Amino acid sequence: MRDSQWTWTPGDSPGAFELRGELPVHGVSVPLRLGGRAWGSLNAARDNAVLVCHHYTGTMRAAGTNPDGTPGWWDTLIGPGRALDTGQFLVVCLNSPGNVQVNDPEVITTGPATLHPDGQAWGERFPAWTMADLHTAQCGLLRALDAPHWHAVVGPSFGGMQALQWAARTPALAPRVAAVVTSPVAGPVLRGAFGPLLHAAAQGDPDAALRETLRLITFFGLGADGMDLLFRGEDVNAYLRTRTATADLRHVLDIGRAVQTHDLLEVAPLDDLCRRWREHGTRLLSVNVRGDQFFPAAEMRDFAAQTRAAGVAHTHLEFDSPRGHLGGLTDTAAFEDALRDLLGTAPMPPALDTAEVSHV
């Protein structure tokens, strides 16, 4: 039965929707508004919904066309006949709280830059939500859909963290989980390097600080090879100006803080996680890019080895990409077949393999 505390309201454009509900965070009740997009439709049993979780600077536009004419960030995977087959599934993507692109007029989110009920911006009053709070909001989405569980929860990077949180917190509601270019814990790169550098870059004039934080995210996302590939002969600052147009520094920092709360072993010890996954028949897929500057592949590789040794159905694969971490968005052919197998979708006609993939 639908939960009246969480409501799904269709938007003005096809597939657009808005989720509303009250999210308690550290004793503060936040009237949450999060926009989303949906493709496909629910079946009679309402058990064919797939939650796609977006990356750090991503939005609900996982598929379709962006306002500038470019495709959605996982458009190659979402649609009729694709791995996330919209002929079989209702595929939904929901903005996170504190979404970085808060100044995009089509992006609905609640965060430091949005209005408090008193009519002023939340600012520093916005509570420090965690991955657990985001999971609670997404549970509200599931209840608003009146669905018994997700068919699967999938996502790249920050989205992969969210997918893993579903596996750890409510395995009965997420029988299939795909975590792409991420880790089971926010490790030393995020906590010991990226986090401090992000805060250092955020000092001074807010406009300049926003540009410099996005420059840092771009470098970590692409690495040296990716920066050279995309920007040789190009103006990096011109690219950053386009990115700052819809972003807000407070939201960049809000997401940057929240990702550092990700740790599956704080949800439960590994033995307990594995026991739950065996009992529920949970199927896990993890995918990493070798040379990723955000998430060393070894973090997930070692975790996958431990879960498989404990009898969990966990498939792990790695591949090389000249775009580093962003290969999880651009080089989807490297893991499309594994994602199809996880979701049970039929394969497409054979295509040329452009990536060297190894199952570990």
Side-chain angles (χ1 to χ4, degrees):
M1 187 172 182
R2 293 187 180 180
D3 187 338
S4 61
Q5 293 182 350
W6 293 92
T7 59
W8 163 302
T9 304
D12 295 332
S13 57
F17 68 89
E18 181 179 329
L19 177 73
R20 292 194 181 206
E22 291 287 330
L23 182 68
V25 183
H26 300 307
V28 177
S29 182
V30 178
L32 203 64
R33 296 179 61 224
L34 300 177
R37 290 285 172 86
W39 305 267
S41 58
L42 281 171
N43 60 15
R46 310 185 77 84
D47 63 358
N48 67 328
V50 175
L51 176 63
V52 175
C53 308
H54 67 71
H55 54 289
Y56 192 151
T57 60
T59 70
M60 71 295 179
R61 298 190 188 102
T65 304
N66 292 313
D68 63 1
T70 59
W73 48 266
W74 253 9
D75 187 68
T76 53
L77 294 175
I78 301 171
R82 296 177 182 172
L84 295 164
D85 188 347
T86 52
Q88 297 185 46
F89 306 118
L90 172 69
V91 180
V92 295
C93 185
L94 182 72
N95 289 329
S96 68
N99 189 281
V100 169
Q101 311 302 333
V102 61
N103 294 321
D104 181 326
E106 293 186 352
V107 171
I108 300 172
T109 185
T110 302
T114 65
L115 294 183
H116 183 277
D118 66 9
Q120 302 298 314
W122 275 95
E124 294 182 356
R125 295 178 295 171
F126 194 68
W129 57 276
T130 67
M131 299 298 292
D133 298 312
L134 178 50
H135 175 261
T136 297
Q138 292 170 341
C139 284
L141 173 61
L142 184 66
R143 293 197 294 272
L145 285 170
D146 195 21
H149 57 76
W150 300 110
H151 179 81
V153 181
V154 304
S157 190
F158 170 50
M161 290 180 169
Q162 297 169 54
L164 290 170
Q165 290 281 327
W166 272 94
R169 294 181 182 279
T170 47
L173 302 181
R176 303 166 189 84
V177 165
V180 178
V181 290
T182 193
S183 290
V185 58
V189 173
L190 288 178
R191 290 178 173 169
F194 176 73
L197 287 171
L198 186 70
H199 279 277
Q203 303 307 306
D205 174 74
D207 290 339
L210 174 60
R211 182 184 65 247
E212 296 313 309
T213 56
L214 293 176
R215 190 190 307 275
L216 183 69
I217 292 169
T218 301
F219 174 69
F220 269 81
L222 287 166
D225 287 340
M227 291 285 291
D228 183 68
L229 176 68
L230 295 187
F231 295 114
R232 181 179 292 185
E234 301 293 331
D235 185 353
V236 177
N237 286 323
Y239 165 76
L240 292 173
R241 281 194 293 273
T242 65
R243 298 204 66 189
T244 58
T246 57
D248 185 279
L249 178 64
R250 292 165 291 183
H251 284 220
V252 171
L253 296 175
D254 198 42
I255 299 286
R257 175 202 51 75
V259 299
Q260 294 181 63
T261 70
H262 172 64
D263 187 346
L264 296 192
L265 301 185
E266 288 187 354
V267 178
L270 181 60
D271 287 348
D272 286 349
L273 291 175
C274 290
R275 175 184 53 78
R276 296 178 196 173
W277 293 337
R278 288 194 306 269
E279 291 174 352
H280 289 284
T282 305
R283 295 182 60 194
L284 303 176
L285 169 64
S286 53
V287 181
N288 286 89
V289 172
R290 290 184 284 260
D292 186 334
Q293 299 299 304
F294 272 120
F295 298 101
E299 289 181 345
M300 185 62 81
R301 184 191 311 137
D302 294 345
F303 183 76
Q306 294 173 51
T307 59
R308 283 199 307 274
V312 176
H314 188 160
T315 298
H316 177 73
L317 64 88
E318 300 174 7
F319 67 99
D320 297 307
S321 171
R323 297 170 185 83
H325 178 71
L326 290 190
L329 301 181
T330 61
D331 301 341
T332 56
F335 56 89
E336 179 181 5
D337 287 347
L339 187 57
R340 285 185 180 280
D341 179 68
L342 181 76
L343 270 67
T345 53
M348 296 288 282
L352 292 176
D353 185 6
T354 58
E356 294 182 7
V357 179
S358 65
H359 290 261
V360 181

